[in-house]
Amino acid sequence: MAWPVRQRIAIGMARGLSYLHRGTQPAIIHRDIKASNILLDDDFEAKVADFGLAKFAPEGMTHVSTRVAGTMGYVAPEYALYGQLTEKSDVYSFGVVLLELMSGKRAFMSLSEGESFVLADWAWSLVRRGKTLDVIQEGMAEPGPTKVMEKYVLVAALCTHPQLHARPTMEQVVKILEADSAPGPLIIPDRPLPVVANLADIERSVSSSTGSDFGDDILKA
């Protein structure tokens, strides 16, 4: 797909989820945002579909405790581990779908050696090394402005941050994606080290700063 089509789909998804979270009373948490639940019409306008797992979010509650449901690869860590469901759980899932849209890869990726890893982790490994544009699918028809495509990847990386507090709201995501420019940088906190981190990873983590500044053209979350 050409960049203008991908951009239209991304903004349509974001608007739909923002409406569920802020435009309805009580708010609705979809719980199963994934590529197959985003339908496209003849004009490639995105429609959020399949509300079979949706939950209401009562006003004033920090989270809903519920049995874990959803699709592997798209489920937010705090929800998968503790059953704590919030609007930010949908934000995580949206970030995964946005990465799929930008990279042309699936939520789970397989290596030739038979190993698999999560798309969000692969994308973050490139972003933290300053290779954000390497996330974007090679040979994209009619690619967009470099800074704009980079912004979309960074938004996806922030949405898929494993720490809930680091993710933006869908309302913020819509504003960032729709903006022609932004007044400040997007700060993406470092991710926690995995349990199986090796010595080199630990040493790098200790010597690095707690956040990454990715330029003055992206809105600070």
Side-chain angles (χ1 to χ4, degrees):
M1 291 185 292
W3 167 250
V5 175
R6 299 186 199 222
Q7 188 175 31
R8 187 181 308 131
I9 293 170
I11 292 176
M13 286 192 298
R15 286 174 177 168
L17 279 172
S18 179
Y19 175 76
L20 293 179
H21 294 172
R22 291 289 182 267
T24 63
Q25 290 295 331
I28 298 172
I29 303 174
H30 188 281
R31 276 213 300 174
D32 197 23
I33 293 297
K34 57 184 177 181
S36 60
N37 281 342
I38 305 298
L39 306 184
L40 304 176
D41 65 15
D42 292 339
D43 296 320
F44 290 96
E45 293 292 342
K47 313 290 183 181
V48 178
D50 193 351
F51 289 82
L53 296 178
K55 288 280 189 181
F56 289 118
E59 189 174 357
M61 292 188 65
T62 59
H63 68 272
V64 177
S65 295
T66 181
R67 178 180 60 84
V68 177
T71 303
M72 188 176 298
Y74 298 92
V75 178
E78 73 282 352
Y79 180 42
L81 291 172
Y82 310 115
Q84 294 183 351
L85 180 70
T86 72
E87 295 168 5
K88 296 289 186 76
S89 305
D90 279 351
V91 173
Y92 182 94
S93 303
F94 166 82
V96 175
V97 177
L98 183 55
L99 284 175
E100 289 183 305
L101 186 64
M102 298 298 297
S103 68
K105 301 181 185 299
R106 295 183 180 275
F108 271 110
M109 300 173 60
S110 297
L111 301 177
S112 56
E113 294 81 5
E115 298 180 0
S116 298
F117 59 100
V118 179
L119 176 60
D121 290 340
W122 170 79
W124 170 247
S125 70
L126 292 174
V127 169
R128 71 182 302 212
R129 287 182 281 147
K131 298 182 177 181
T132 304
L133 293 176
D134 287 356
V135 174
I136 298 170
Q137 186 174 18
E138 286 188 46
M140 182 188 298
E142 301 177 38
T146 298
K147 287 292 185 181
V148 175
M149 293 193 298
E150 181 181 40
K151 177 176 72 172
Y152 275 59
V153 173
L154 294 176
V155 167
L158 189 60
C159 288
T160 55
H161 197 286
Q163 294 176 318
L164 180 150
H165 67 81
R167 297 175 214 147
T169 65
M170 287 309 308
E171 189 175 26
Q172 290 172 322
V173 168
V174 171
K175 290 179 180 178
I176 297 172
L177 296 187
E178 288 185 334
D180 293 329
S181 60
L186 179 67
I187 306 299
I188 305 181
D190 281 345
R191 296 181 175 220
L193 284 171
V195 176
V196 294
N198 58 36
L199 181 59
D201 288 334
I202 296 172
E203 290 176 343
R204 273 197 300 271
S205 176
V206 171
S207 62
S208 65
S209 63
T210 58
S212 300
D213 186 337
F214 292 99
D216 295 331
D217 60 319
I218 302 173
L219 183 65
K220 182 176 181 182

